[in-house]
Amino acid sequence: MSSAMVLLATAAAGVQLPMDGVRNFRRVSHSLPGLYRSGALESATERDVARILDSARIRTVLDLRSDDEIKRARCSATRAGARLLDAYDRGEPVGPGCLASEGSGRLRRVHVPLLGDVEVRGRFIHGMLSSARQSTPERAWTDFVHRREPAPRARRTSHAQAFFEEVEARMPAGRKAKAMILRGFSGKAYDQMLYDELTHGGHELLYTAMLQSAPEAFRTSLSVAADRSSGSVLIQCAKGKDRTGLIAALLQHAAGDDEAQIADAYSISEVQLGADDGPSGSAAAGVDWSKLRGSPREAVVGTLGWLRREYGAIDRYLQHVGCGEDWRRVLLESARGNLFAQTRRAFQTTGSREREREQRAGAGTRKAVLPAACTAVGPCLLG
């Protein structure tokens, strides 16, 4: 293992929670108590369920996957994983005798497909079936020369369509002209051009096209993640690497983590996933996903740089999608509230264990013991 991988593994040990089946499960940042990230929960074991519900006290799951991804994952879910997600979907209560036995409130899953299905051929089929107009290469070229709209196609109805339109917009002029010609009469060839462009652009194109094409989805996702007033929040996608990593990076920035900390947290996915970093079930066959494996630091650093070039500052992008000062206040207040709650639980747990030890030893008086978790927080929360 390289020295870089050793350092990442050491960093991972500080933020991850041990899981048997769920991959890439860890805290988003030490700056954001009560915020977690992971791959799909369908692989959870019974012990994972207990850790998620009662140790981490996750009350909200923010699911960034597409409908098709979720359906396919549910088909191969473990019994414990299926039961866990059903509990979130049904909004089951929290308390003694419930699946989530500690604390109070209700469970919930918020579904925000950040990208949708990357297989986009359906829009061309729909466009051809719904249009009586037949396009030809000659007509498409004339439309391009005179800057007219190409042959009618399906209206933008999904994040995936908006995403690939953004990929097309980033093409060099020559390839864009060819794409506009193909778009009018050969959906399959046009799709492949988009897939090739995404493969060539790598992680940075994948991330920046998502950021540009789905502002409402980012606003909703960031808003759900910020509010931990009802309990901890888990952000999940198929692997917990790309879509989840992008949301996590924006949250870390808003919380004050510097670029190195953000890049470190993003890079940990490569250690966590190892060989299990292949394409998810929604991956388009035409994309060479081997070019998008791993989580190289330069991918998230480049994406943050793109946001600065495009919007002037990362905060300007957050404002653009509707996450301004009010949103940041909720994010940071929730962090302080979760830190206090965790400290109180640590104090109660440690105090309870100490009382048990004293009783077993026959001690006549209780000793004042300061929990290690409280020591780490500092005196400001204890007095």
Side-chain angles (χ1 to χ4, degrees), residues 156-331:
R156 179 182 298 182
T157 58
S158 73
H159 296 149
Q161 293 175 17
F163 170 81
F164 276 106
E165 287 172 1
E166 183 63 28
V167 172
E168 178 188 336
R170 308 279 187 90
M171 288 180 171
R175 286 179 58 78
K176 188 184 298 184
K178 182 179 178 181
M180 293 185 70
I181 296 171
L182 291 175
R183 185 171 61 173
F185 73 96
S186 178
K188 185 175 181 180
Y190 174 69
D191 282 359
Q192 192 57 56
M193 279 200 71
L194 295 177
Y195 298 151
D196 291 344
E197 190 69 21
L198 180 58
T199 300
H200 178 73
H203 291 88
E204 187 173 333
L205 177 57
L206 174 66
Y207 298 161
T208 57
M210 281 198 290
L211 287 163
Q212 191 79 314
S213 63
E216 292 183 5
F218 275 92
R219 175 181 56 79
T220 302
S221 299
L222 291 167
S223 298
V224 170
D227 185 5
R228 283 99 72 209
S229 58
S230 299
S232 298
V233 175
L234 172 69
I235 309 163
Q236 72 151 3
C237 59
K239 305 291 184 182
K241 178 175 77 79
D242 296 313
R243 288 162 290 187
T244 297
L246 197 49
I247 293 292
L250 293 173
L251 291 166
Q252 285 185 258
H253 167 80
D257 287 1
D258 61 30
E259 190 168 281
Q261 291 172 309
I262 295 171
D264 286 343
Y266 169 81
S267 302
I268 288 172
S269 288
E270 195 158 341
V271 176
Q272 296 277 68
L273 294 171
D276 187 28
D277 188 19
S280 68
S282 69
V287 178
D288 181 2
W289 291 99
S290 66
K291 304 295 185 183
L292 295 168
R293 294 175 71 94
S295 50
R297 293 174 62 90
E298 57 268 21
V300 71
V301 170
T303 299
L304 296 177
W306 177 87
L307 283 172
R308 295 186 185 99
R309 292 192 301 273
E310 191 73 13
Y311 291 90
I314 301 171
D315 284 351
R316 292 286 297 275
Y317 173 80
L318 292 172
Q319 293 167 4
H320 168 71
V321 301
C323 295
E325 287 306 311
D326 290 341
W327 168 81
R328 191 189 300 267
R329 190 176 303 111
V330 171
L331 175 71

